[in-house]
Amino acid sequence: MSLPSSDVRLIIGGHIAAAFTALVILWAALALLSRLNLAPPSAGQYIADPGNGVEATQAMIRLGSALSDGRTVVLLGSSELMQTKTGFMPYRYLPKELGIPVLAIGRGYFQSLAIYGYLSANDRYLSNSTRLVILVSPGWFKEDSIPLNFFLTYFPAPVLARLLDKDAVTDLMRDYVTARWSLMEKSSETLSFFGPQTNSGAPRQRLWAWVPSVTRRLREQLIGLREQAFTLRTEFDMLLQTEVSNSHSTIAAFNTETGPVAPDWDALRRLAQERELAAMAHNPMYVRDDYYTRYLKDRGRTEYFPAGMDPKGEMQMLETLLRYLQSRHVHALIVMEPLNPYTFSDASRARALGNEVAALCASTAMPYYDMTQSDYIPGTLSDAMHVGELGWVLIDEKIERYYQ
Amino acid sequence: MSPRRFAKLVALYLGLLVVLFTHAGNPDESQSTSKVHFEYQQF
């Protein structure tokens, strides 16, 4: 016995309507759940780079959580964050002694483009309660843009998947990736969306030219949904303390014995300088002795900035970043780091960069701490360009005063 | 189709989609690489 054709149409129509309704319910549930903050709070954490796969998804969850909880200071910077022998490093000192949670992200070349990408990937978590500190180094302006392998390290597929629907940053990144496409050895499926775009082809094919763009949009949506679903699963795993990876481990825990105490910043500055100077007692360049022996002993004082340096590209990217933050009502504390004048004969050129950054901060209403403008105090940096104990205390103090 | 049957169908498809997205929906883990490797210089 066969069903009448009208019944078959009704059954198929019912299935299609049911499947569509299920899709809408799932989409709405994902959209709702992804706004909730499921990641567990933590004290002091440092993520040098996101890794890939689950690790990268975890890194994004931690960042989103920290940006939205209204308590955690998110510290974004580059190689200065990697130092291990600095007790006043914000992600060690602030959580442990002052009870301020800190999440730090970055290593060499994690600068304006990467920071803009990471914040855009977590766009929904940005608000005027976000506590954000960006450490700007004069070294950012030495080159036009970051090397490709650093870009690929900072933007694995799970990070890129969150950017597919963010047109402004996607366009910027597409320009970057397309210009370097010939240098690519291998591209992930997600990165291919940021690569060169193909044209619609011969005139007779134009009738169907909309097909690839629609297919592409659907594939983008699918990748975004897949990452959203995986993020939810990972968040539940993190809540249940069954993380797949422990590479993003907590660096500092809250000091539960004494609790946070009001800091005596004058005394801390003296202590920090004493500590730093003790580590640089056997050389004339006010850098730590091991660094002097390794890099400077046979080299002496040199120039830092290349002759034809053009800071325009990085400065424009920084402006784009600050304008984006302004549009999201985020008041980020911007810190401009100095160079060591005992190591570099042209260290004072960093002041001109500091002035340009000051103008950008003024026009975007960002609070600004410029360490290049005052006379250099030995111990501020631990080497030629990386913040030392005294410099970290000065930055800790600014963060504490600004966010308390 | 009765509302009860329709609800059952929606639940069935929802279950299928949840399974699809939470189990088969692993992220793209293929690593992109560059032909040119560049190390960060300390100096």
Side-chain angles (χ1 to χ4, degrees):
Chain A
M1 193 178 79
S2 61
L3 288 166
S5 63
S6 59
D7 283 357
V8 172
R9 276 204 298 273
L10 203 65
I11 289 169
I12 292 173
H15 274 270
I16 290 172
F20 182 73
T21 309
L23 201 61
V24 170
I25 291 172
L26 184 70
W27 177 81
L30 282 176
L32 191 72
L33 283 170
S34 62
R35 285 180 181 276
L36 299 178
N37 220 334
L38 300 178
S42 49
Q45 287 183 83
Y46 172 52
I47 299 172
D49 63 60
N52 196 22
V54 184
E55 275 187 77
T57 301
Q58 286 180 356
M60 286 296 104
I61 291 170
R62 289 184 197 285
L63 178 58
S65 170
L67 288 169
S68 62
D69 71 12
R71 222 164 59 89
T72 306
V73 171
V74 175
L75 181 64
L76 303 177
S78 37
S79 52
E80 67 284 289
L81 293 173
M82 294 196 80
Q83 291 164 301
T84 51
K85 297 174 186 169
T86 46
F88 288 108
M89 175 73 82
Y91 58 77
R92 296 194 187 96
Y93 180 76
L94 293 176
K96 197 172 177 191
E97 302 301 332
L98 305 185
I100 302 171
V102 176
L103 169 68
I105 300 181
R107 63 183 177 96
Y109 292 104
F110 193 82
Q111 42 199 74
S112 307
L113 175 64
I115 293 173
Y116 182 33
Y118 272 52
L119 295 175
S120 296
N122 290 280
D123 184 77
R124 69 179 61 154
Y125 300 115
L126 296 175
S127 71
N128 60 1
S129 65
T130 297
R131 295 174 158 200
L132 178 63
V133 179
I134 296 175
L135 303 174
V136 181
S137 161
W140 286 16
F141 303 94
K142 279 178 80 177
E143 289 159 49
D144 265 359
S145 55
I146 69 172
L148 180 60
N149 65 321
F150 279 86
F151 176 89
L152 298 178
T153 302
Y154 295 137
F155 290 100
V159 181
L160 290 173
R162 287 153 204 266
L163 294 172
L164 286 168
D165 59 345
K166 312 284 188 309
D167 290 343
V169 69
T170 300
D171 288 347
L172 271 175
M173 290 177 49
R174 185 170 289 129
D175 290 346
Y176 177 93
V177 174
T178 302
R180 291 159 185 80
W181 196 249
S182 61
L183 301 176
M184 293 291 301
E185 189 178 53
K186 198 172 76 180
S187 159
S188 69
E189 183 197 2
T190 314
L191 185 71
S192 66
F193 285 100
F194 295 83
Q197 305 296 293
T198 51
N199 293 324
S200 55
R204 69 182 183 84
Q205 292 174 320
R206 276 188 194 154
L207 182 63
W208 302 102
W210 56 271
V211 175
S213 66
V214 169
T215 316
R216 181 192 162 85
R217 275 284 167 195
L218 283 173
R219 282 173 59 215
E220 279 182 8
Q221 290 291 320
L222 191 67
I223 286 176
L225 273 174
R226 190 172 66 178
E227 183 57 30
Q228 256 186 40
F230 190 72
T231 297
L232 274 176
R233 196 174 108 187
T234 311
E235 278 181 324
F236 282 120
D237 285 348
M238 288 166 83
L239 260 185
L240 298 170
Q241 304 291 310
T242 55
E243 294 183 38
V244 180
S245 155
N246 62 0
S247 64
H248 298 154
S249 56
T250 297
I251 302 279
F254 292 124
N255 190 342
T256 48
E257 285 174 19
T258 57
V261 287
D264 177 349
W265 290 113
D266 289 336
L268 286 171
R269 280 196 293 270
R270 281 195 298 276
L271 173 68
Q273 191 179 26
E274 277 168 24
R275 270 193 206 169
E276 199 59 70
L277 292 182
M280 44 183 72
H282 303 98
N283 72 81
M285 301 182 98
Y286 290 111
V287 297
R288 291 191 182 183
D289 290 329
D290 52 346
Y291 184 90
Y292 177 77
T293 310
R294 197 166 173 190
Y295 296 106
L296 293 172
K297 196 174 180 183
D298 302 322
R299 188 175 172 139
R301 196 169 179 243
T302 55
E303 290 195 341
Y304 179 66
F305 295 105
M309 183 184 82
D310 183 4
K312 209 186 298 171
E314 185 65 33
M315 204 61 84
Q316 277 174 352
M317 191 57 75
L318 182 61
E319 182 176 4
T320 305
L321 166 65
L322 297 188
R323 296 215 177 281
Y324 166 69
L325 289 174
Q326 187 185 28
S327 74
R328 308 297 293 123
H329 310 292
V330 177
H331 299 285
L333 173 63
I334 312 297
V335 178
M336 180 74 185
E337 298 165 351
L339 289 173
N340 186 339
Y342 296 91
T343 312
F344 297 121
S345 55
D346 58 350
S348 60
R349 281 183 67 188
R351 286 187 182 183
L353 293 170
N355 286 334
E356 284 194 59
V357 178
L360 290 183
C361 290
S363 71
T364 51
M366 297 293 156
Y368 182 49
Y369 176 37
D370 191 347
M371 300 174 82
T372 67
Q373 300 302 320
S374 51
D375 287 339
Y376 182 79
I377 304 169
T380 303
L381 300 177
S382 65
D383 54 38
M385 67 199 86
H386 297 114
V387 181
E389 292 287 51
L390 176 57
W392 285 127
V393 166
L394 295 170
I395 293 170
D396 288 338
E397 184 181 358
K398 289 285 172 196
I399 295 173
E400 195 263 347
R401 288 188 195 279
Y402 184 64
Y403 285 117
Q404 286 300 77
Chain B
M1 185 181 290
S2 70
R4 194 181 169 82
R5 184 171 159 72
F6 183 74
K8 275 184 185 171
L9 271 180
V10 170
L12 174 74
Y13 279 111
L14 200 54
L16 279 173
L17 285 171
V18 167
V19 169
L20 183 77
F21 281 121
T22 55
H23 291 276
N26 283 334
D28 174 12
E29 293 195 30
S30 52
Q31 191 81 46
S32 312
T33 53
S34 164
K35 287 177 196 164
V36 185
H37 193 72
F38 186 94
E39 288 291 341
Y40 174 74
Q41 299 296 312
Q42 273 284 331
F43 196 84

